[in-house]
Amino acid sequence: MRILSGIQPTGKLHLGNYFGMMRPVLELQDEGEAFIFIANYHALTTVSDPEALRNNTWDVALDFLACGLDPERVAFYRQSDVPEVTELTWLLSTLTPMGLLERCHSYKDKTARGMTASHGLFSYPVLMAADILSVQSDLVPVGRDQKQHIEVTRDLAIKFNNQYGPVFKIPEASIREASAVVPGVDGQKMSKSYNNTIEIFGSAKEAKKTIMRIVTDSKSLEEVKDPDTCNVFALYKLLATPEEQATLAERYRAGGMGYGEAKKALAETFNAHFAPLREKREALANDTDYVEDVLREGARRARREAAETLSRARQAAGLAWS
Ligand code: ADP
Ligand code: TRP
């Protein structure tokens, strides 16, 4: 089985990215042949400062390796080191109905928030389809917000295969329901664009400060509280053991515990979980050559697959002469 996922280098890794996409994909690295990449071509649709793009790309590389990506098993690469995906994007885009892209929520959200409606932003899902189809991935672990893009990918693969013959595997999204939408400190979906994130690799102090800002209802200390509707508890559930969760849930239901205390428990669990990863990340940051080697080797493996797929697609579409 082939597994592929990517993340845009557009800011600091947060708890939503970690549980929505990173953990699920890292858990799958043992199950098959995994490809994980840093979507820097995609990031160009929103990041126009070259220095920022370079730094963010490097940050994502360190984040993944610190969180346990095993480069022996996974092809880990920068999207722009596999230029075959851009050619495949063109082949796919000639079959892409405008209406399919016009319906994509992500594009509509981004333009509604004031982003310029560039052609790149509009055709973003076609590039994403090329990422996935170029390595013939079976499974694509993502958070729920990306589901529609995987459906576009499936549509395009089916269309291409119908028109030119069976070139592409039809991939499936893999969405972990328990963490499909991780809430941010304001209770909306956690997202860089909503400024409501809890960063994984900030300091322990910053994380605690952010956690103490999580919005709750205004119940007094004595009142009985409902863990199932509380943002603090929703995040605690992702990090704590089942026993720890049961203990805190009981305290919510018994009354006599304020939200401040629940937030402190969350901050402690959060920092205990991420402290060893922070240390690992610092060590990796001093080993530039190692990280660069990992990315180059990953690109070599991904390119081999992408070149093979592209050659079949070119042949099928009448773009090869021998
Ligand atoms: P952001 O919304 O912060 O810009 P991205 O769009 O870069 O995050 O998302 C990168 C990956 O993380 C995607 O697979 C996405 O589905 C996942 N993800 C992002 N935010 C969340 C969240 N709040 N809950 C679950 N998954 C998320
Ligand atoms: N669009 C994805 C996001 O914003 C990133 C991405 C690009 C991706 N290409 C992909 C994810 C292919 C999965 C598969 O999170």
Side-chain angles (χ1 to χ4, degrees), residues 4-8 21 37 39 42 79 110 124 127-129 131-132 140-142 145-146 149-150:
L4 170 137
S5 196
I7 188 166
Q8 291 192 75
M21 180 271 201
F37 69 97
H42 278 108
Q79 187 183 31
K110 285 175 183 165
Y124 181 112
L127 176 58
M128 201 165 148
D131 294 324
I132 300 167
V140 188
V142 280
D145 59 346
Q146 295 297 317
H149 289 159
I150 315 298

Side-chain angles (χ1 to χ4, degrees), residues 10-32:
T10 48
K12 304 278 179 217
L13 185 77
H14 58 71
L15 210 54
N17 304 140
Y18 182 75
F19 281 108
M21 180 271 201
M22 189 180 260
R23 272 278 286 265
V25 76
L26 291 180
E27 280 166 23
L28 284 169
Q29 69 183 340
D30 302 325
E31 309 281 313

